[in-house]
Amino acid sequence: MKNIKSNNLDFRKLSLRHIVGFLCVVLFASCGNMKKSTYFYEAPDSIYNSSQFENLEDTLNENDLLSISVSSVNKEAADMFNTSNQVGASTATVSGVLGQASGYLVDKTGNIRFPILGEIKVEGKTKQEVRDHITTMLTEQKLLLNPVVDVRLLNFRVSVLGEVLRPNVFTVPSEKISVLEALGLAGDITIYGNKERVSLIREVDGNKILHHLDLTSSEILSSQYFYLKSNDVIYVEPRPSKVAEASVLRPWIPVALSIVSLGIITIVNFR
């Protein structure tokens, strides 16, 4: 009887050690997972400067859709330059709803067709340069007195794909959006998404550039990739655990566990 009690006591001590050990493993695993699941994990309070990249204006490209409005002291004379925003294109708004936008489409030769002024080369120029060019033409040809020209990009869009809640292509009316705002529009990264490896695909001078972002690091806040450009693609990679779940071995794990459990029960009962 004494031996039985002693064995039970030893068993309880052994079980207690196993439980404590198991809890320690879970605790350390949770700390590791917390770092991978949290934006800017352990980033100190500081000032992160990305303003040097915020206002860099991109040049216009083929298939860009422009809105160009002209105003002047003579409203009736200016109206003739505001009647040809007729080219339509389907766009997805930030809410994901398809809409119809109209404006001046940059053709394959890099030109737009503007009322009275005819074809204007805009490819490779910034919006400011196009604005100044049209203003100069209107003034030099004495078509308007003190013209005011405004140029906007109607199809500024970014794509967010991968492990996010709502993958989509988003058109951004403000023409300014950060990588975090884009992920917010897509419903944020899911629990299966890898915040340490978010891919950014960007086209520069006809070449596709692939850059990997680590959103658990505060370095992204001062990166040139913090603010997105038109036609950027964000892809959130799945965690390795998500890939493992989708493997062919995954369905057999419950079967294997059941066999092991049955074997243990059989050994214990027939001892």
Side-chain angles (χ1 to χ4, degrees):
M1 187 72 177
K2 187 176 180 180
N3 290 335
I4 295 176
K5 290 183 178 180
S6 177
N7 290 337
N8 287 338
L9 183 60
D10 291 341
F11 178 75
R12 289 175 184 174
K13 290 181 179 179
L14 182 63
S15 299
L16 182 59
R17 286 198 297 268
H18 280 87
I19 292 173
V20 172
F22 175 74
L23 291 176
C24 289
V25 172
V26 171
L27 179 62
F28 285 115
S30 299
C31 291
N33 289 335
M34 179 65 71
K35 181 177 181 179
K36 294 180 180 180
S37 303
T38 307
Y39 291 105
F40 321 126
Y41 184 76
E42 293 184 346
D45 293 343
S46 184
I47 297 176
Y48 300 94
N49 183 18
S50 60
S51 59
Q52 67 267 36
F53 307 112
E54 180 178 357
N55 297 316
L56 293 179
E57 191 171 1
D58 296 325
T59 57
L60 300 174
N61 298 294
E62 178 187 339
N63 293 326
D64 278 345
L65 190 63
L66 305 179
S67 169
I68 303 177
S69 61
V70 179
S71 59
S72 176
V73 291
N74 188 337
K75 184 179 181 303
E76 292 182 356
D79 284 344
M80 71 176 69
F81 298 99
N82 297 312
T83 58
S84 295
N85 286 327
Q86 297 175 350
V87 178
S90 295
T91 59
T93 65
V94 292
S95 62
V97 179
L98 285 176
Q100 197 74 11
S102 59
Y104 296 94
L105 185 67
V106 182
D107 61 24
K108 293 182 179 180
T109 62
N111 297 326
I112 60 171
R113 293 173 179 82
F114 199 72
I116 311 299
L117 300 180
E119 288 196 349
I120 300 176
K121 183 74 172 182
V122 299
E123 185 178 20
K125 297 180 179 179
T126 65
K127 291 183 299 177
Q128 180 64 52
E129 290 172 338
V130 173
R131 186 183 302 120
D132 294 342
H133 181 58
I134 294 177
T135 301
T136 300
M137 293 179 71
L138 293 172
T139 303
E140 289 181 348
Q141 296 182 31
K142 298 181 180 181
L143 296 172
L144 288 176
L145 181 63
N146 298 325
V148 177
V149 180
D150 181 62
V151 180
R152 296 187 62 190
L153 182 61
L154 295 177
N155 60 341
F156 187 107
R157 57 177 179 256
V158 295
S159 304
V160 185
L161 308 172
E163 284 296 333
V164 292
L165 189 60
R166 295 184 297 273
N168 210 332
V169 180
F170 302 98
T171 295
V172 186
S174 65
E175 303 179 43
K176 176 185 174 184
I177 189 171
S178 70
V179 61
L180 297 180
E181 291 172 319
L183 290 171
L185 292 176
D188 203 3
I189 298 176
T190 69
I191 193 173
Y192 299 107
N194 188 353
K195 290 185 175 69
E196 294 180 294
R197 195 171 174 84
V198 175
S199 300
L200 170 63
I201 303 172
R202 174 174 294 173
E203 184 170 343
V204 179
D205 297 328
N207 299 315
K208 295 290 192 299
I209 294 177
L210 176 64
H211 186 79
H212 295 295
L213 309 176
D214 181 1
L215 300 185
T216 66
S217 170
S218 60
E219 292 181 1
I220 184 64
L221 297 175
S222 56
S223 167
Q224 61 176 313
Y225 300 103
F226 182 71
Y227 286 102
L228 301 180
K229 297 184 178 182
S230 183
N231 298 316
D232 276 358
V233 177
I234 296 293
Y235 173 70
V236 180
E237 296 184 10
R239 290 185 182 179
S241 57
K242 175 67 179 296
V243 178
E245 287 181 5
S247 69
V248 293
L249 296 178
R250 181 69 181 179
W252 295 100
I253 292 179
V255 177
L257 291 176
S258 299
I259 294 174
V260 172
S261 300
L262 181 61
I264 294 173
I265 293 172
T266 303
I267 293 172
V268 171
N269 289 337
F270 285 92
R271 266 184 134 181

